[in-house]
Structure formats: C-alpha cells, structure tokens
Amino acid sequence: MNTEKDFSPLTPNIVRALNDKLYEKRKVAALEIEKLVREFVAQNNSTQIRHVIQILASEFALSQHPHSRKGGLIGLAACSIALGKDSGLYLKELIEPVLTCFNDSDSRLRYYACEALYNIVKVARGAVLPHFNVLFDGLSKLAADPDPNVKSGSELLDRLLKDIVTESNKFDLVAFVPLLRERIYSNNQYARQFIISWILVLESVPDINLLDYLPEILDGLFQILGDGSKEIRRMCEVVLGEFLKEIKKTPSSVKFAEMANILVIHSNDLIQLTAMTWMREFIQLAGRVVLPYSSGILTAVLPCLSYDDRKKSTKEVASACNHSLMKLITPEDDEDEDTQSTVSPPREGSPPKSQDDLNGCSDSIDVVRNKSFQRGSLFQIATTAVTLDLDGIVQVLDRHLHDSSTGMMTRIAVLKWLYHLYIKTPRKMFRHTDSLFPMLLKTLSDESDEVILKDLEVLAEIASSPAGQTDNSLSCDGKSEVHVTDPNCSALNISLFNQLYSVTGSKVVDSSPSTPSMNSYFYKFMINLLNFTLGFVVHYLLSLRSLICLSPPFLYRQLCLLLHAENIFHSMADILLKEEDLKFASTMVQTLNTILLTSAELFQLRNQLKDLHTQESCTLFCCLYRSWCHNPVATVSLCFLTQNYRHAYDLIQKFGDLEVTVDFLMEVDKLVQLIESPIFTYLRLQLLDVENNPYLIKALYGLLMLLPQSQAFQLLSNRLSCVPNPELMRTTDDSQECGAKRPTQAHMDYGELLEHFDRVQSKHLEVRHQRAGRANHPDRKLLL
C-alpha cells in the first residue's frame, strides 16, 4: 500500500479511500478531491493542481494494485469536474494515464477508465480536440473489446466525442487523416464499424471537407465493403454513396487521377459492382483525365462484359464504362508525342510498368495497404494534359485475345476496341499491327460468328487504312514493298507469298498490272485468308463434318461488304494464279465463282462484269479468267456472266479433250441450276433473240450433250425447247455476233485466253496422273 508515502495535499483519509476495494469509499474520496481542487482553482494555485493530478496519475492510476488504479481513475475524473472550463489547461496530464488503463487486462478497470475519460471529455468539450488523435486511437481499440460493458461505455464516449466534433469548427482533419488511413485496414468487424461511423460523421460536417482526402481512404473503404457482415456493408455503402453524391456536385475539386487506380484493383464479387459504378462516374465526370489509366480500367472492365444474368447489374455498368471510355479517344490522340503533353515520370518508389502490373491487382493492393498507393499506382499520374496510354491498351487487348478463357462478349469488345483505335488513331496503331496481325488471323477460326464478323471488320480496316499506305505499300504501277517478316503470315503455304512476288531484297517486281492500290497488309490478309480456307478444307476432309466456325464462303462475302469486292477478287485471282496446289486452286476458284454468281453482296461487281463496257471491267475479266481456268466449269460460267457466249462455246468444245469425272459432271449440273436462278435472268431472256445469240444456244446445247440424262438434263432440255423457232438457230456471220454488237467493248485476245486455258488444264491433268502414280507406287515397290 501507499499509505507511508507523502501524498500531500491529499489527506491520509483520501488516500486510504482511493485504495479501498469498495466503490462507495472511492467515490467519497473523489468528492473530497473535487472539493480540494476547487479550492486550488479559487486560489489560482496551478502548481498544487498539477501536483494533485501527478499523484493521482503516477501513484494510483498507473499503480500495480488494481484497486489503486480504480481510485486513481475516479480521482482524475473528479479533478476534471472541479476544474471545469479550466480543465483544458491540464488535459494532457488528465488523459494520458486514463488511456493507459484502456489496455488493462481487467475488464472492470477498462470500464472505469472509459467512464473517467467520459467525464473528462464532457467537461472539457472542444478543448479536447487537440488531443483527438490519441482519444480516437484509444476508442478504436475499445470498439472491438470483448466485454459488453466496456463496449457500452466506449459507445457512450464515442457519441460524446462525435457531438463535440460536429459542433466545433476547429477539428484538425490534416492531422487525423494519417491515423484514419492506418486504422481503416483493420480486419475486426467492430473496429470497421467504428471507422465507418466516424467517416460518416465527418462527411456530414459542413466545415470538414473529407473529399479532399478521399484518395487516402478509398481503398480501405472498398476493403470494408467486402466485409462478411451485412450491417457493415450497408454502412459502407451509405458512406460511399454520400461521397459519390458529393463528387457529382463538385467534380472540379475531385482528385480523379489519384483514385482511378484504386477502383481498378477491386474485382471481388461483393464490391465489384460498386467499383464499376464509381468507375463509370469517374469516366463521365473526369473525361480525358482518366485516359492515362485506360489500360488498367480495361483490365478491370473487359472480363465483366462476359458475365451472365447472375451478375447482370455489374455487366451493364461495366458496359457503360467501356462505352464511355471508348468515346474519350479522339483523332487528336493520333498526334505525335512531341506535339502532346507528356506524362510525368514515375514517382519515387513507383514499380515499373510491366505485364504483371496489368495482369492483376495483388501487388497494387499491397502497395495501397502500405499507405503508399499514390507512389506505387498502376499507372503514372499526368501532370498537365493527358496522353493516351495506347501501348498499355494494346497490351491488354492483345492479352485478352490470346487468353483462351476470355468470354465471347469480352472478345467482341476487344475487337471493337481495336477497330475503334484503328479508326481514331491509325498512324499509332499501325506500329502495333505486326504484333496484332497473327492473332487477328487466328481469331477467324473462333467458334462465335459474331466474333468472326467483328474480326473481319478489324482486318478489313487494317488492309484498307490509308495509314498503312506508306512507301512500302502496293502502288498503282504494280511495284511495291511488302514486309513478310511475320512468320505466321502464311503458315499453311508460306511459299505462296514468295511465288506471288519476285522479291529482290524486299522489292516486288512481279505484280499484276490490274492489281488495285492497297496497303501492304491487304495482300498479307488475302494470302492468310486463303491459307485459312485451305486449313478449313483439310480439316473438313479429315473430320468429314461441318465446322462450328463460319465457312470460308461467308467470310469472303463479308469481306466484299467491308472492302471493295473488286479488290478482293483481283487479289484472290492473282494469288491463285501462282498457287502450286492445283487441287486447292480449283476448289477455291469454284468457291469464289459460286460467291460471285450467287451473293447479293456482289450485285454491283456482277453488273460491272456483265457488259464489259470499260477497260477496267475487261481487265478484271481477264484477271479472273486466268485463275478461273483452274476450274473449266467455273470458266464457262464466268463467260456466261460476261456474255462471252462464243468463247463459252469454244471452251465447251474443248471439254471433250478433258478428263470428265463424276465431280466434273456435278459441277455442270450445278451450273445448269444456276442458269435457272434469278442471276441469269438476262441470259434466259436472250434466248428469245436467237438470231443475235446463236453461240449462247450452241453453248447451252453443248452443256446438254455433256450431261447424262439426269434431272439437270431434263431441266436444260425443257429450257431449250422453249426457244421460239428452231429455224433461227442457224449460225450467222461473225459480224453479226452479240459480241460485235456490244458497244465500247475493249479488244480482248480470246485466242490467247484459250491457249492459257489449255496450258492450265494440261497442268491439272499432269498433276492428277502424278497423284495417281504416287498412289500406286507403294504397291509396285512391294511387288519388287
């Protein structure tokens, strides 16, 4: 016991009562202390007052004996009551020993400490604000106290302190925020509830602008938003909602840049919707300020676009974010960097920008939790005007295309982004084309029709973009430079590219004079598309079933809508003319011919070829004809389309020298079916004018004679029987041919075309015989 020491001016009776185990005696001692301190206050004897407080603190409140500590606490509270408004002069001495008792192992003593501090704060009121941080620190610990009485007492003290802060205009927010930022990462649900309640109070005080410090606590708020307690989540939602309302009211004063990264890293299911909602508001309110963070935003947003109906709300908000962000890209972003404002270098401690930064959020979350998220953010912070982070965006988009687990809607969104970027920033985007091109070609085999169609749009834009028409692009004079450094450019038939062009260095000197002017990626695209078609055919033959992906004919029809149909057929004809695989060339010609004759998308091209009125149309016909010779029936149908009936008749006459197979007859059968289609309505009407179209009738009779007496035979026979007068079928003079009557038709050397047809078919015959020889060769070796 402390009775032997000198505790003056405290009397021995007061000392004994303070050390007593009974609360009633300690209370009596407290009343005596209050009376004694009042006398000192009246005498203005601050020395004695401090001496009394010092004795109560060191000898009692901080004593090793529990009853003495309880006596010291009630004595300090009595001093504060006696001091009244003057208690503010002694608050440090009064508060510190009481707060020390908050850590006592005895729950009853913690309760008494809470009661004593309540009395001290109640008397001092606004004077306690300079000591707010230590009070808040102590209260935050009691908020998670396991004893219900202690928690109840701390709640009373908490409400009192909140009232004082609300009433005062002297609250030091700058000094408080670091403590708030530290404690907001507590995992205890009661501590979280305590923190949230204080943020809500501070946010409601008009004189306190907590929005300025929101970047420092926003990450912690989103952590709390993921708490397992529904009540805590609800409170946090209210706080975030209040902040968002204030952001909308005063967007000009909001630090969007410092908070954008925080929103990016939160992808937990419980908080993702809120993070996306904030992101949407940030993009709409801040505008181009968020552009430097586009890659991070896309990392968070794109996966959400493939969510199912269970996360419909998140998907819709993410879609709005994606759309709003896309609208921020303008042609100005295609300017060179030296004409734009630059982005400041990373601040000290900032991690380098790498693939890992974009892949996930764990590292960034750790940085934020270490209270240095502003220095270690995912992206650099713009100091002046913003600069589009195009490299980062392309990296994110490319990664999603490569990821096999990426959802269909996400893949579509990625392709829409690429298309948008090629439209808005074509010059800068073409720097990335070599790396993007192989994956875009691979995406043509995607299982989704929508993905393939969007992919075609991107490829078509690349192939036709003026930004790609540099000195290394194809030119009208037929000479160009074509870059073939991409190893995937022609994966299935890489020699095709080299055969298509005679390359000296990288200079192309063997290009068709009829080739239209396109950039270098156009021919890359066409060659790869042809290889894709070859792969489709091979896969089909191996599997003997239809593929899930869109068929090549559909791809070509779509391309004709996206690019000029004449360019597509020009390039394909040029490429197929050099194709070594004659079987494949014949199949491709048959496919392209069917597209040409049946697709609504090619109406204008058919009209261009129908009359051959211009030199350009004649050149196109000759270009197609030379490749169409890989397939005799397709060549005849091309002559029918272009009204070259005499030449069609001459070709059919040569069919007697060809190897007539079942497949050949089936193609003739299909041609007869086509003649009955709406495409050839003009041809059927010309049968009425027998006198001027004798070779048309002779050509049709030639087809009839080729056919066995099948359904197609009957169909064509019935058609020819409708010719008005057989007498008119006599052959007229050459000068009266239909060809001679057609105005402004450019001269074409049909004899040379026939010779070309013979040469091509001779090659086909030779290849077929070689193939047959190889098929029998193993047996002959066995006989030897």
Short mmCIF file of all heavy atoms in Angstrom, two decimals, residues 625-626 629 647 651 654 749-762:
data_model
loop_
_atom_site.label_atom_id
_atom_site.label_comp_id
_atom_site.label_asym_id
_atom_site.label_seq_id
_atom_site.Cartn_x
_atom_site.Cartn_y
_atom_site.Cartn_z
N TYR A 625 -10.30 -14.55 -115.37
CA TYR A 625 -10.31 -15.67 -116.31
C TYR A 625 -9.07 -16.55 -116.15
O TYR A 625 -9.16 -17.77 -116.14
CB TYR A 625 -10.40 -15.12 -117.74
CG TYR A 625 -10.44 -16.20 -118.80
CD1 TYR A 625 -11.65 -16.66 -119.31
CD2 TYR A 625 -9.26 -16.76 -119.30
CE1 TYR A 625 -11.69 -17.65 -120.29
CE2 TYR A 625 -9.28 -17.74 -120.27
CZ TYR A 625 -10.50 -18.18 -120.76
OH TYR A 625 -10.53 -19.18 -121.71
N ARG A 626 -7.91 -15.91 -116.02
CA ARG A 626 -6.66 -16.67 -115.96
C ARG A 626 -6.63 -17.59 -114.73
O ARG A 626 -6.07 -18.69 -114.79
CB ARG A 626 -5.48 -15.72 -115.95
CG ARG A 626 -5.35 -14.94 -117.25
CD ARG A 626 -4.17 -13.96 -117.24
NE ARG A 626 -4.13 -13.20 -118.47
CZ ARG A 626 -3.63 -13.64 -119.62
NH1 ARG A 626 -3.10 -14.86 -119.67
NH2 ARG A 626 -3.64 -12.89 -120.71
N CYS A 629 -9.40 -20.53 -114.92
CA CYS A 629 -9.05 -21.66 -115.78
C CYS A 629 -8.67 -22.91 -114.98
O CYS A 629 -8.62 -24.01 -115.53
CB CYS A 629 -7.90 -21.29 -116.72
SG CYS A 629 -8.40 -20.18 -118.06
N HIS A 647 -17.04 -17.49 -126.79
CA HIS A 647 -15.89 -18.06 -126.09
C HIS A 647 -16.33 -19.20 -125.18
O HIS A 647 -15.61 -20.20 -125.04
CB HIS A 647 -15.18 -16.98 -125.27
CG HIS A 647 -13.83 -17.37 -124.79
ND1 HIS A 647 -12.76 -17.53 -125.65
CD2 HIS A 647 -13.37 -17.68 -123.54
CE1 HIS A 647 -11.70 -17.91 -124.96
NE2 HIS A 647 -12.05 -18.00 -123.66
N LEU A 651 -14.92 -23.00 -125.35
CA LEU A 651 -14.42 -23.74 -124.18
C LEU A 651 -15.13 -25.09 -124.04
O LEU A 651 -14.48 -26.12 -123.77
CB LEU A 651 -14.65 -22.92 -122.90
CG LEU A 651 -13.74 -21.70 -122.68
CD1 LEU A 651 -14.22 -20.88 -121.49
CD2 LEU A 651 -12.30 -22.14 -122.46
N LYS A 654 -13.82 -27.79 -126.03
CA LYS A 654 -12.59 -28.39 -125.53
C LYS A 654 -12.84 -29.39 -124.41
O LYS A 654 -11.94 -30.12 -124.01
CB LYS A 654 -11.64 -27.30 -125.05
CG LYS A 654 -11.06 -26.44 -126.17
CD LYS A 654 -10.10 -25.40 -125.64
CE LYS A 654 -9.43 -24.66 -126.79
NZ LYS A 654 -8.49 -25.53 -127.54
N ASP A 749 -7.95 -10.60 -126.53
CA ASP A 749 -7.38 -11.68 -127.35
C ASP A 749 -7.93 -13.01 -126.84
O ASP A 749 -7.35 -13.66 -125.97
CB ASP A 749 -5.86 -11.64 -127.25
CG ASP A 749 -5.20 -12.60 -128.25
OD1 ASP A 749 -5.92 -13.46 -128.80
OD2 ASP A 749 -3.98 -12.48 -128.44
N TYR A 750 -9.08 -13.40 -127.40
CA TYR A 750 -9.71 -14.64 -126.94
C TYR A 750 -8.89 -15.87 -127.31
O TYR A 750 -8.93 -16.89 -126.62
CB TYR A 750 -11.13 -14.76 -127.51
CG TYR A 750 -12.08 -13.78 -126.87
CD1 TYR A 750 -12.47 -12.61 -127.53
CD2 TYR A 750 -12.61 -14.04 -125.62
CE1 TYR A 750 -13.33 -11.71 -126.93
CE2 TYR A 750 -13.48 -13.15 -125.02
CZ TYR A 750 -13.84 -11.99 -125.68
OH TYR A 750 -14.69 -11.11 -125.08
N GLY A 751 -8.14 -15.78 -128.39
CA GLY A 751 -7.29 -16.90 -128.76
C GLY A 751 -6.23 -17.16 -127.70
O GLY A 751 -5.95 -18.31 -127.33
N GLU A 752 -5.63 -16.08 -127.23
CA GLU A 752 -4.62 -16.23 -126.19
C GLU A 752 -5.24 -16.76 -124.89
O GLU A 752 -4.61 -17.57 -124.18
CB GLU A 752 -3.96 -14.87 -125.94
CG GLU A 752 -2.68 -14.92 -125.08
CD GLU A 752 -2.98 -14.91 -123.59
OE1 GLU A 752 -4.04 -14.35 -123.22
OE2 GLU A 752 -2.18 -15.47 -122.82
N LEU A 753 -6.48 -16.34 -124.61
CA LEU A 753 -7.17 -16.85 -123.42
C LEU A 753 -7.42 -18.35 -123.53
O LEU A 753 -7.27 -19.10 -122.55
CB LEU A 753 -8.49 -16.11 -123.21
CG LEU A 753 -8.37 -14.62 -122.83
CD1 LEU A 753 -9.77 -14.00 -122.71
CD2 LEU A 753 -7.61 -14.44 -121.52
N LEU A 754 -7.79 -18.81 -124.73
CA LEU A 754 -7.99 -20.25 -124.93
C LEU A 754 -6.69 -21.02 -124.75
O LEU A 754 -6.67 -22.12 -124.16
CB LEU A 754 -8.58 -20.52 -126.32
CG LEU A 754 -10.08 -20.30 -126.48
CD1 LEU A 754 -10.50 -20.47 -127.93
CD2 LEU A 754 -10.86 -21.27 -125.61
N GLU A 755 -5.61 -20.46 -125.26
CA GLU A 755 -4.32 -21.12 -125.09
C GLU A 755 -3.95 -21.21 -123.60
O GLU A 755 -3.40 -22.23 -123.14
CB GLU A 755 -3.24 -20.35 -125.85
CG GLU A 755 -3.38 -20.45 -127.37
CD GLU A 755 -2.36 -19.59 -128.08
OE1 GLU A 755 -1.51 -18.98 -127.38
OE2 GLU A 755 -2.39 -19.54 -129.33
N HIS A 756 -4.25 -20.15 -122.87
CA HIS A 756 -3.98 -20.16 -121.43
C HIS A 756 -4.82 -21.24 -120.74
O HIS A 756 -4.33 -21.98 -119.87
CB HIS A 756 -4.29 -18.79 -120.81
CG HIS A 756 -4.14 -18.74 -119.32
ND1 HIS A 756 -2.92 -18.69 -118.70
CD2 HIS A 756 -5.08 -18.76 -118.32
CE1 HIS A 756 -3.08 -18.66 -117.38
NE2 HIS A 756 -4.40 -18.72 -117.13
N PHE A 757 -6.07 -21.36 -121.16
CA PHE A 757 -6.95 -22.40 -120.61
C PHE A 757 -6.35 -23.79 -120.86
O PHE A 757 -6.31 -24.64 -119.96
CB PHE A 757 -8.34 -22.29 -121.24
CG PHE A 757 -9.30 -23.35 -120.79
CD1 PHE A 757 -10.02 -23.21 -119.62
CD2 PHE A 757 -9.50 -24.50 -121.55
CE1 PHE A 757 -10.91 -24.20 -119.20
CE2 PHE A 757 -10.38 -25.48 -121.15
CZ PHE A 757 -11.09 -25.33 -119.97
N ASP A 758 -5.86 -24.01 -122.06
CA ASP A 758 -5.26 -25.31 -122.39
C ASP A 758 -4.04 -25.59 -121.52
O ASP A 758 -3.85 -26.72 -121.04
CB ASP A 758 -4.87 -25.34 -123.88
CG ASP A 758 -6.08 -25.41 -124.80
OD1 ASP A 758 -7.15 -25.86 -124.32
OD2 ASP A 758 -5.96 -25.02 -125.97
N ARG A 759 -3.20 -24.59 -121.33
CA ARG A 759 -1.99 -24.79 -120.53
C ARG A 759 -2.34 -25.15 -119.09
O ARG A 759 -1.74 -26.05 -118.50
CB ARG A 759 -1.11 -23.54 -120.57
CG ARG A 759 -0.42 -23.29 -121.90
CD ARG A 759 0.69 -22.26 -121.74
NE ARG A 759 0.18 -20.97 -121.29
CZ ARG A 759 -0.23 -20.00 -122.09
NH1 ARG A 759 -0.24 -20.18 -123.42
NH2 ARG A 759 -0.65 -18.85 -121.61
N VAL A 760 -3.28 -24.43 -118.53
CA VAL A 760 -3.66 -24.68 -117.13
C VAL A 760 -4.26 -26.07 -116.97
O VAL A 760 -3.92 -26.83 -116.06
CB VAL A 760 -4.65 -23.61 -116.64
CG1 VAL A 760 -5.19 -23.97 -115.26
CG2 VAL A 760 -3.98 -22.24 -116.59
N GLN A 761 -5.14 -26.45 -117.91
CA GLN A 761 -5.77 -27.77 -117.79
C GLN A 761 -4.76 -28.90 -118.03
O GLN A 761 -4.89 -29.99 -117.46
CB GLN A 761 -6.94 -27.87 -118.77
CG GLN A 761 -8.16 -27.07 -118.35
CD GLN A 761 -8.63 -27.47 -116.95
OE1 GLN A 761 -8.83 -28.66 -116.67
NE2 GLN A 761 -8.77 -26.47 -116.08
N SER A 762 -3.75 -28.64 -118.86
CA SER A 762 -2.69 -29.63 -119.05
C SER A 762 -1.93 -29.88 -117.74
O SER A 762 -1.59 -31.01 -117.41
CB SER A 762 -1.72 -29.18 -120.15
OG SER A 762 -2.38 -29.12 -121.40
#
